[in-house]
Amino acid sequence: ETGVTQTPRHLVMGMTNKKSLKCEQHLGHNAMYWYKQSAKKPLELMFVYNFKEQTENNSVPSRFSPECPNSSHLFLHLHTLQPEDSALYLCASSQERGWSGYTFGSGTRLTVV
Amino acid sequence: AQKVTQAQTEISVVEKEDVTLDCVYETRDTTYYLFWYKQPPSGELVFLIRRNSFDEQNEISGRYSWNFQKSTSSFNFTITASQVVDSAVYFCALITGNQFYFGTGTSLTVIP
């Protein structure tokens, strides 16, 4: 248990489905992040939330929609995904600025069929 | 531009051998932090160490040691007497300003 909990651990979805990934932390961190990890590629930062406000969106397609209702919860809503979106999606949290490092969740392994 | 390079994509060693994972970084900032994370097959990235740019002291923690050299912009990680449980992907990372930059990772396999 890392302190950052992601559910589900595995998800298989069709291209026309709508699903959501959930991330929860009770570490008292005020920044939360979504990363995408594809095979043989660097970790890609997708979204950053600081004090519930989105501060970064790294040119992520609109079929990925983040939501941060409070500092402890972060969602990634998925709709009409493509097979190339299959990857490990990692959530992380940190104190503001992240200089003490990020705490990562175990990730959601997403397969789009 | 900030950048982290892990030139070794995959390394295999036999158990009990020592292994060094290389990390070279680029930044023009004078204040930054360097990290190593371990990603076992279960997926989560596990924090191993953080160093700030003003502290070049090498660090040892059990079988793990880190060599930080600003002169060569390197932050190498050595595992002594490797074990099968050390098999994982290891990421070096740099944080400066509000940005976190990850290397592409080195996949380490320790063969029994």
Side-chain angles (χ1 to χ4, degrees), chain B residues 3-14:
Chain B
K3 189 176 174 182
V4 177
T5 302
Q6 293 180 255
Q8 304 149 309
T9 307
E10 297 179 357
I11 300 177
S12 291
V13 298
V14 176

Side-chain angles (χ1 to χ4, degrees), chain B residues 13-74:
Chain B
V13 298
V14 176
E15 199 171 22
K16 298 185 183 175
E17 286 183 349
D18 299 347
V19 58
T20 295
L21 310 182
D22 297 332
C23 174
V24 174
Y25 64 93
E26 293 177 40
T27 180
R28 293 185 178 179
D29 293 340
T30 55
T31 301
Y32 53 90
Y33 289 84
L34 295 163
F35 298 80
W36 275 95
Y37 281 87
K38 174 183 179 181
Q39 186 178 37
S42 53
E44 80 275 15
L45 273 77
V46 179
F47 168 84
L48 295 178
I49 190 172
R50 178 185 80 143
R51 304 297 287 177
N52 74 55
S53 52
F54 301 108
D55 183 2
E56 282 192 79
Q57 273 197 336
N58 291 329
E59 184 157 338
I60 298 174
S61 175
R63 296 183 297 107
Y64 295 171
S65 62
W66 291 270
N67 184 340
F68 177 26
Q69 292 196 350
K70 288 177 78 170
S71 60
T72 55
S73 297
S74 64

Side-chain angles (χ1 to χ4, degrees), chain A residues 60-107:
Chain A
V60 180
S62 59
R63 57 186 184 269
F64 295 92
S65 174
E67 179 190 0
C68 188
N70 54 61
S71 294
S72 298
H73 295 85
L74 184 64
F75 295 90
L76 187 63
H77 304 300
L78 317 170
H79 64 97
T80 58
L81 295 191
Q82 305 298 311
E84 60 265 28
D85 297 322
S86 299
L88 180 68
Y89 289 84
L90 289 160
C91 174
S93 70
S94 73
Q95 296 291 353
E96 189 183 0
R97 305 199 74 179
W99 285 9
S100 57
Y102 292 5
T103 301
F104 284 85
S106 299

